[in-house]
Amino acid sequence: MQFGEFADIAAEIEELSADTAITEQVTRLFEGANDDLPVLARFVQGRVFPAWSSRTLDIGPNYCYEAIARAAGTNVSADDVEDRLAEVGDIGEVAASYDFGGQQGLGAFTGGGAGGDSGASGANDLTVAEVADELDALAAAEGSGSQDKKIDVLFALFNRASATEARYLARLVLSEMRIGVGEGTVRDATADAFDVPVEAVERALQVSNDYGEVARVAREEGADGLAALDLELGRPVQAMLAQAGSVADALDDWDEVAVEWKYDGARVQIHYDPEGLAWASETAGSAAADASASDDREVAVFSRNMEDVTDALPEIVEHVEANVDAPAILDGEVVATEDGDPRPFQEVLRRFRRKHDVAQAREEVELDLFAFDCLHAAGDDLLRTPLPERHDRLEGLLGAGASAGEASDDSGGDPSGLSSLWITDDAEEIADIEAEALDAGHEGIMLKNPDSTYSPGRRGKNWLKRKPDVETLDLVVTGAEWGEGRRASFLGTFLLSARVGEGEQFETLGKVATGITDEELADLTELLEPHVREQDGQEVEIAPEVVFEVGYEEIQESPTYSSGYALRFPRFLGVREDKDPENADSLARVERLADQQ
Ligand SMILES: Nc1ncnc2c1ncn2[C@@H]1O[C@H](COP(=O)(O)OP(=O)(O)OP(=O)(O)O)[C@@H](O)[C@H]1O
C-alpha cells in the first residue's frame, strides 16, 4: 500500500467521532491491506514496533525538528519548526505546513534501507513497507554518529512526503498519532475484517501482545489459528492489574480471599528457559534486531511497561538461574532493601534505568525478588489456571517456602523469592496480615479472588489493592478485655467510644483487637491498667483517659453499640498521646462520616 493511501485514511478517521464509524474505517483499512497488514495494525495505533517489543526509535523531538527543517529548505531551521510547533501545538500540522522536496542532501539518497533511490517530493511513491523498513533502520542506528544517521533517514522520508504523508509520518515518529484508534478499535476491526470472534482476537492479543501478528493470523488462519497462538518464553505479556477495594468488598463477593503482601517495589515479569529463550532464536528478519530478542539468554526480565531491564538487574538474573529449575514465566515485585527492610520504590526504578556501572549500582542498592504469580511452568501455560494452583506451580518452580492456604509466616516471602499467599475468610486474620506487611515497611495487602484466572492487561475486580483508610477516627478507650492463652496477662480487645458534647459523655461504637503487635499490647496494658474502674470476669471498664487512632472500612448503623453505629473492620493505628478525651472525635463527626459514605 502507498503510504499516501494510509495517510488519507488516517485523515478520514481523524475527522470521525463515533467509535463505530472509526472501527468501520479501520476494518476497511485491514481488508485492503495485503502484505502490509501487520504494519498497518501498528501504524494506525501510532505504534512502530510490536507491543511486546522494547525497541524504540530513540530519536529526540529536536532531531525530528532538524529533519523536518532540512527537508523544508535552506531557509528553515529547527528553531523555526519548534516556534511553529509552539504556535499550533501539533507536530503533524507543522510538518504538513511545509512544502517538502527536492532537497538534494546526502540523506536524500541514503535512507539506509529500501527507499534510497527516489528523490523529490510529489512523486507520491512512498510505500507503507518502505516507511516501516526505514524506521527499522533508524531504530537500529547506534554508536557514534547514530543521531546524524537517524536525522538522515528521517530527512529522506520527509523529503519524499506530501503534506498529508508528512502529517502522519511526523506524528508516528514522535508517538503522537492521536487519531482516536486505540487497542480496542484494532481488536474489534480485526474481528470484523476477518470474521473471527472478538473473544478469539482478545485471547490471542493477551498471549502474543502483537496486534500485527494477530491480524495476520486472523486473516490467514482464522479462529483456529488464533487459538493456536500461545505464550512464548522471551516475549513479554501485559501484567494483570488491580483495582482499589476493601476487605468488605472481597468478603462480600468471594467465599474466601487470597491475601498477599503488597510489596513496595516495581513490577517485573521474568522469563526463564535453561535451554535459551525460544522467542529469541525463533524471531527472524527485523524482529531479530530487537533488543529483547537478540541473543540466546536464559533469563529475560521485563518491567511493567514491558521494557527489557535484564541487563540492569544481574542479581535477579542470577537468583532465577540459581532457584528456578524449569522453563517459567514469573510475575512479581523487585524491592530495594537495606538489611532486609524495604527502601523507597524509586530506588528500584533507578536501578531499572541504569545502563552503565551496573556492578557499582548493585553495590549501592540491594534488590530482592518477591514472585507472586506464574504464567508458565515447565511447558504449561497457566493463564486459565486458578490462582492457588498457579501459586502451587510457582512454589514447585522455586522449590521452597510457604504455600497457598498455609498459616501466616512473618516474612511475606522466603529466600527463594516466593511470596506468601494466605487463603482465608477471616477479617481479623486479614487485618493481622496487613499489620505485618505495614510493620515490615511494605504498602499493605492485595486481596485476590481465589477462583480467578490471569488476565493480562486487565484492571479487573479479581485483584483488589486494599484502599488505605480515607479517614481515621480518634476514639476514647472506655473498656477492654483480658486476652487469652499467651496473651492472658495483657489487655487485648479495646472498647472504643466517641465523645458527646464537651467530653462529659461517651458512646461506644466498636471494639478493636487487630493491628496490634505483642510488644504494643504490653505497652497498652501498662498505659491503661491504672485507669481500670471495674472488672467483671475478663471484661474491664476503663475511665475515659486514653485516645486511640483507629482506621476502619465503613461506619454502619447498628444496634450493637450505644452510639447506634458500628465500625466495620476497625484497626489500631496508634495512641494519640497528644490528645485528651475532650478533643477526641465526636459522635457528630461519626454521623457526618457515615452520611458521606
Ligand atoms: N502481591 C502482589 N500482587 C500483585 N501486585 C503487587 C503485589 N505486591 C505489589 N504489587 C504491585 O502493586 C501493583 C498493583 O496495583 P496496580 O495494578 O493498580 O498497579 P499500579 O497502577 O502500579 O498501582 P500502585 O501505584 O498502587 O502500585 C502491581 O502492579 C505491582 O507492582
Side-chain angles (χ1 to χ4, degrees):
M1 179 182 280
Q2 298 300 116
F3 190 71
E5 203 180 324
F6 164 72
D8 287 342
I9 293 174
E12 280 170 36
I13 292 174
E14 198 175 356
E15 292 301 309
L16 301 171
S17 51
D19 289 348
T20 46
I22 295 177
T23 307
E24 274 170 28
Q25 274 288 10
V26 178
T27 303
R28 266 201 292 282
L29 174 71
F30 288 179
E31 283 167 348
N34 301 328
D35 290 348
D36 298 317
L37 179 63
V39 172
L40 288 171
R42 300 198 294 267
F43 278 12
V44 76
Q45 290 180 71
R47 283 181 196 280
V48 176
F49 300 110
W52 54 262
S53 170
S54 281
R55 293 184 85 190
T56 58
L57 294 177
D58 194 21
I59 182 161
N62 290 335
Y63 294 105
C64 184
Y65 308 154
E66 173 77 33
I68 291 173
R70 268 169 61 186
T74 43
N75 54 347
V76 182
S77 71
D79 284 347
D80 296 333
V81 174
E82 210 175 341
D83 289 348
R84 218 178 258 203
L85 178 61
E87 260 167 57
V88 301
D90 167 18
I91 190 62
E93 201 175 327
V94 172
S97 69
Y98 292 109
D99 185 14
F100 290 138
Q103 307 307 319
Q104 303 297 310
L106 180 66
F109 299 97
T110 55
D117 61 354
S118 174
S121 80
N124 272 346
D125 60 350
L126 261 184
T127 65
V128 166
E130 265 180 294
V131 173
D133 285 349
E134 294 297 331
L135 293 181
D136 236 18
L138 188 155
E142 53 183 32
S144 74
S146 64
Q147 289 300 339
D148 287 342
K149 272 186 236 157
K150 286 174 193 259
I151 295 174
D152 283 348
V153 174
L154 262 193
F155 161 63
L157 286 172
F158 280 118
N159 204 33
R160 295 167 58 194
S162 68
T164 313
E165 287 171 329
R167 176 189 299 272
Y168 295 102
L169 180 61
R171 291 205 195 160
L172 188 60
V173 167
L174 292 182
S175 306
E176 292 176 17
M177 196 59 154
R178 300 200 192 119
I179 56 170
V181 176
E183 296 177 352
T185 320
V186 173
R187 178 199 58 208
D188 294 351
T190 303
D192 290 351
F194 309 117
D195 203 17
V196 285
V198 74
E199 297 75 28
V201 178
E202 171 83 18
R203 194 208 75 92
L205 287 172
Q206 286 191 346
V207 293
S208 71
N209 211 359
D210 189 333
Y211 289 83
E213 176 68 357
V214 167
R216 188 192 65 74
V217 171
R219 181 179 65 188
E220 281 156 31
E221 299 166 41
D224 289 348
L226 292 177
L229 284 177
D230 272 328
L231 295 174
E232 295 280 355
L233 291 167
R235 181 175 64 186
V237 295
Q238 292 190 42
M240 182 163 174
L241 298 173
Q243 271 184 8
S246 64
V247 176
D249 294 335
L251 287 172
D252 289 349
D253 288 351
W254 315 319
D255 294 339
E256 291 188 305
V257 184
V259 187
E260 294 166 7
W261 285 15
K262 186 171 192 294
Y263 300 98
D264 196 7
R267 189 82 175 260
V268 285
Q269 191 177 98
I270 301 172
H271 292 235
Y272 174 62
D273 190 343
E275 307 283 311
L277 291 168
W279 183 246
S281 52
E282 277 173 18
T283 46
S286 63
D290 194 283
S292 62
S294 59
D295 55 20
D296 54 2
R297 296 175 300 180
E298 290 173 19
V299 180
V301 187
F302 301 98
S303 71
R304 181 180 149 177
N305 300 334
M306 291 174 293
E307 213 180 311
D308 190 324
V309 291
T310 316
D311 293 342
L313 308 176
E315 61 270 64
I316 302 298
V317 172
E318 286 161 21
H319 182 92
V320 169
E321 282 170 348
N323 287 281
V324 183
D325 58 4
I329 302 178
L330 311 180
D331 188 4
E333 192 91 344
V334 165
V335 180
T337 53
E338 191 172 325
D339 302 328
D341 292 328
R343 308 270 312 139
F345 77 96
Q346 288 89 344
E347 296 198 7
V348 192
L349 296 183
R350 223 171 288 140
R351 282 287 314 268
F352 276 23
R353 284 194 296 268
R354 189 82 168 228
K355 297 231 160 31
H356 307 289
D357 302 326
V358 172
Q360 194 192 331
R362 182 177 176 172
E363 300 273 303
E364 290 160 9
V365 179
E366 191 182 320
L367 297 181
D368 282 339
L369 170 69
F370 294 94
F372 49 73
D373 215 320
C374 165
L375 286 61
H376 177 100
D380 300 324
D381 283 353
L382 302 174
L383 294 182
R384 307 268 145 197
T385 306
L387 172 63
E389 242 177 89
R390 296 203 305 277
H391 197 271
D392 283 347
R393 296 296 302 264
L394 179 64
E395 188 187 348
L397 284 168
L398 289 165
S403 65
E406 265 188 11
S408 159
D409 66 12
D410 61 3
S411 68
D414 75 15
S416 73
L418 177 71
S419 148
S420 299
L421 173 81
W422 296 268
I423 297 201
T424 178
D425 60 1
D426 178 354
E428 279 201 14
E429 190 184 349
I430 297 175
D432 287 343
I433 298 168
E434 180 170 34
E436 283 167 17
L438 292 169
D439 269 359
H442 289 284
E443 271 191 277
I445 47 172
M446 298 289 299
L447 306 165
K448 300 182 178 177
N449 179 354
D451 293 333
S452 64
T453 56
Y454 193 98
S455 27
R458 287 266 180 80
R459 197 178 278 286
K461 285 200 177 126
N462 283 325
W463 283 17
L464 302 177
K465 45 183 174 181
R466 202 191 89 81
K467 280 188 266 190
D469 300 308
V470 188
E471 297 282 356
T472 60
L473 283 169
D474 296 332
L475 299 171
V476 181
V477 182
T478 52
E481 286 167 27
W482 290 102
E484 285 176 352
R486 74 189 164 90
R487 291 181 160 193
S489 56
F490 299 132
L491 290 171
T493 303
F494 303 92
L495 184 64
L496 304 166
S497 294
R499 170 175 61 84
V500 180
E502 296 302 304
E504 61 283 358
Q505 193 190 331
F506 296 91
E507 300 294 349
T508 58
L509 77 161
K511 289 179 181 171
V512 67
T514 47
I516 313 174
T517 62
D518 282 356
E519 210 175 39
E520 282 171 330
L521 275 186
D523 291 347
L524 292 177
T525 305
E526 203 177 304
L527 179 70
L528 288 163
E529 235 183 336
H531 305 298
V532 170
R533 274 180 176 162
E534 256 183 60
Q535 177 145 348
D536 179 9
Q538 273 177 272
E539 297 197 9
V540 295
E541 190 190 320
I542 295 182
E545 297 287 346
V546 175
V547 179
F548 278 9
E549 184 178 13
V550 183
Y552 62 92
E553 284 198 349
E554 219 182 328
I555 302 171
Q556 291 180 320
E557 287 192 30
S558 158
T560 313
Y561 295 104
S562 66
S563 66
Y565 291 97
L567 297 181
R568 217 160 164 215
F569 305 128
R571 293 181 311 123
F572 171 80
L573 298 176
V575 177
R576 287 301 305 256
E577 285 169 26
D578 56 333
K579 277 202 171 179
D580 295 329
E582 300 85 74
N583 349 95
D585 276 314
S586 64
L587 186 54
R589 175 157 194 259
V590 171
E591 281 166 1
R592 263 199 319 277
L593 288 170
D595 284 348
Q596 284 164 8
Q597 287 174 147

